[in-house]
Amino acid sequence: MSLKQSIGSLLAVGLLLIVLLNCPPATCARLYGGVRDALSPLVAFLSDTCSSCWRASRGSRVLAADNSRMAVEISRLRTEVRQLKSLERENAELRHLLGVEARAGVRLIAAQVTTRAIGGWWQMARLDKGLSDGVAHDLPVISAEGLVGRIVDVSAYTADVLFLVDPSSKVSAKLSRMDAFGIVRGQGVSLLGDPLCRMDFIIKDAAILPGDEVVSSGLGGVYPAGLVIGYVEKVYLDRSGLYQYADIVPAVDLRSLGFVFIILSERPAGPGKAAPAREEQERKRL
Amino acid sequence: MNIIVMGLALMGAVLVEMLCPVWVFMGQAKPPLVMSVVLYYALNRPLALMLGAAVLGGVLNDSINALPLGYSALCLAGIGLAARSYRDVVFSGRWITHMVFGALAGVGMTLVLYGLLWLTDGGGREMSGIWVSLKVLGVGVYSVVLVPLVCRAMEQLDRMVGNMGMVVSE
């Protein structure tokens, strides 16, 4: 290659790099989405194949044990669902009598984790659901155990979830045993691989005990109230003496996450049967 | 044919990199396969091909790894040019050369990427020093092992499809 050609190549690449580094966010998002969506079927296939191979390598005895454990779990969950349905009916009747409107439910969508530890720089995972399934930015992601994180990037067929243990993640939280609020911040992963979180700005008079449940407070607008975040491990008084902070063990085992649920939206409350009941009570009282 | 081989190699490298599990004791480092492919082009092929591989690999890497656009391409092009300027000085084509170049490139790329993320507030500031050190070490170890292997595999592939002359045994 001649000197002229070399200089030409270097200049062309230099210009291209300048263009790439100054690309508008919308163009970047389109480009990223295009690449991810083009690769997503292949990634899903390879991810499934790897999981199948892993399961097969564990042997039939382990699979049989898993199967019987799951059968027990299913029967336990069915019993719980029956009990909860009767409680729900009772709750609805009581709400109707008291004239309180029915609480809004949530609409969930199941998604499979296709890639973990994206890039190795952040505590993130990629899911196989995207804009085409109704997924959008900042939607909360949960699993059966509790809160996983929120959606930070979405393309047509994929979405990236930022785990709550990522240092850039913050969740407004409260202790479910008492009305003590705080902010749960991610602390990354320890050298032993354990995910870490910390709850800051808890009032100093709160009597927090190890094992106390921490749930989302619903403040801030991203996470609905009542999602289990984790459990208190240790409590400390801040150096300023103005507030307490606590180490939190996340409720969800983020290392072995296979399926998650994205909270698409809160369903609107049911037709308010409560209002006429209240009016009737008022009429009787008068 | 050169471009097809390059595209397929980079695509395969990105996919394998994406699906590889990570270990905490290696700072959650991913095996630097894209960098290894670019290094192969830097050490063995013309400048234009190396720069093409750096830009294409960089864009793919950024898209898949949720990095700001252009960061990986910048790092890969820089590393490729640095490796290229020294390739005739040392014993080119030997395993040891690939291992040394690989380790230096892996460590350099991770540090530069971290620096860029730190400077532009792309999440780099949130990482502890121990974590970054582990990551640098992890990428270094991976590079020592992977770069010679990827270079050999790419060389075989290029010879097989006729992009490079066949070696005639004496």
Side-chain angles (χ1 to χ4, degrees):
Chain A
M1 190 184 257
S2 69
L3 187 66
K4 255 186 189 174
Q5 280 176 320
S6 299
I7 293 171
S9 309
L10 281 172
L11 280 176
V13 168
L15 275 173
L16 197 57
L17 283 176
I18 290 170
V19 171
L20 287 178
L21 288 165
N22 293 295
C23 218
T27 316
C28 285
R30 262 204 301 276
L31 180 69
Y32 283 6
V35 174
R36 283 176 202 169
D37 292 339
L39 290 177
S40 70
L42 198 56
V43 171
F45 169 73
L46 290 173
S47 175
D48 276 351
T49 312
C50 290
S51 311
S52 308
C53 290
W54 168 246
R55 275 199 299 272
S57 72
R58 291 172 70 199
S60 56
R61 198 176 290 176
V62 179
L63 290 179
D66 273 358
N67 202 11
S68 52
R69 190 174 49 78
M70 281 179 194
V72 174
E73 184 74 4
I74 286 171
S75 64
R76 189 183 66 78
L77 290 173
R78 276 186 180 153
T79 317
E80 261 184 35
V81 167
R82 269 198 296 276
Q83 284 171 348
L84 286 173
K85 273 189 176 161
S86 89
L87 283 174
E88 194 184 2
R89 271 197 301 274
E90 192 181 311
N91 191 354
E93 279 168 22
L94 290 171
R95 278 177 183 277
H96 178 71
L97 288 173
L98 286 170
V100 180
E101 276 193 27
R103 206 163 35 170
V106 288
R107 205 154 59 88
L108 302 174
I109 181 172
Q112 191 182 358
V113 176
T114 54
T115 318
R116 291 200 187 92
I118 303 168
W121 289 97
W122 299 283
Q123 305 298 325
M124 282 165 81
R126 188 156 293 150
L127 310 177
D128 67 343
K129 293 286 188 292
L131 289 168
S132 58
D133 304 286
V135 180
H137 257 268
D138 279 341
L139 288 182
V141 180
I142 57 169
S143 77
E145 288 80 31
L147 184 62
V148 172
R150 69 184 165 92
I151 301 290
V152 287
D153 206 354
V154 62
S155 70
Y157 304 108
T158 66
D160 292 350
V161 52
L162 182 77
F163 291 153
L164 67 100
V165 298
D166 188 88
S168 63
S169 166
K170 292 174 189 69
V171 185
S172 173
K174 66 172 223 165
L175 292 157
S176 56
R177 200 165 55 81
M178 64 194 91
D179 267 350
F181 290 81
I183 305 280
V184 171
R185 294 165 193 261
Q187 301 281 303
V189 181
S190 76
L191 294 180
L192 294 171
D194 302 321
L196 304 168
C197 280
R198 199 170 99 169
M199 186 169 175
D200 283 324
F201 310 119
I202 314 167
I203 49 166
K204 64 176 181 179
D205 302 327
I208 312 163
L209 297 171
D212 272 352
E213 191 182 61
V214 179
V215 296
S216 57
S217 69
L219 303 172
V222 175
Y223 303 98
L227 300 174
V228 180
I229 293 172
Y231 302 93
V232 172
E233 193 180 34
K234 274 184 190 166
V235 189
Y236 311 88
L237 184 66
D238 183 66
R239 258 188 299 179
S240 66
L242 295 173
Y243 63 87
Q244 301 181 85
Y245 64 92
D247 286 339
I248 309 292
V249 178
V252 181
D253 185 4
L254 297 167
R255 289 166 295 187
S256 58
L257 215 53
F259 286 91
V260 292
F261 299 97
I262 304 165
I263 301 180
L264 286 186
S265 62
E266 294 217 9
R267 269 203 300 257
K273 287 178 185 171
R278 199 185 305 161
E279 279 168 17
E280 201 176 329
Q281 280 174 352
E282 284 290 309
R283 258 204 312 274
K284 277 180 190 168
R285 195 170 62 82
L286 288 169
Chain B
M1 204 58 178
N2 272 322
I3 291 167
I4 294 172
V5 168
M6 185 178 81
L8 287 175
L10 286 170
M11 197 76 88
V14 162
L15 276 174
V16 175
E17 215 174 281
M18 188 164 55
L19 290 167
C20 269
V22 292
W23 284 279
V24 174
F25 59 87
M26 288 179 96
Q28 289 195 330
K30 292 260 181 179
L33 289 167
V34 175
M35 188 206 72
S36 305
V37 173
V38 173
L39 216 50
Y40 160 76
Y41 280 100
L43 294 174
N44 299 285
R45 308 305 308 276
L47 177 67
L49 267 181
M50 185 279 285
L51 291 172
V55 172
L56 181 62
V59 170
L60 284 173
N61 209 35
D62 290 341
S63 311
I64 294 300
N65 293 329
L67 286 163
L69 188 63
Y71 282 22
S72 299
L74 186 68
C75 292
L76 289 171
I79 280 164
L81 286 172
R84 201 181 157 74
S85 61
Y86 285 103
R87 73 173 181 177
D88 297 326
V89 181
V90 286
F91 22 91
S92 154
R94 297 258 186 92
W95 283 84
I96 187 75
T97 313
H98 290 156
M99 286 163 90
V100 172
F101 268 89
L104 290 174
V107 168
M109 177 158 173
T110 312
L111 285 174
V112 173
L113 210 49
Y114 173 69
L116 286 171
L117 289 173
W118 196 87
L119 282 173
T120 55
D121 208 9
R125 277 164 216 242
E126 314 273 6
M127 298 183 91
S128 69
I130 297 170
W131 196 251
V132 177
S133 312
L134 276 176
K135 191 182 247 325
V136 168
L137 195 73
V139 176
V141 170
Y142 269 134
S143 307
V144 166
V145 179
L146 286 173
V147 172
L149 294 175
V150 171
C151 284
R152 289 293 175 282
M154 286 297 299
E155 208 174 315
Q156 290 292 324
L157 189 66
D158 267 340
R159 286 193 200 289
M160 210 164 67
V161 298
N163 288 339
M164 282 169 86
M166 296 296 282
V167 178
V168 182
S169 55
E170 290 172 15

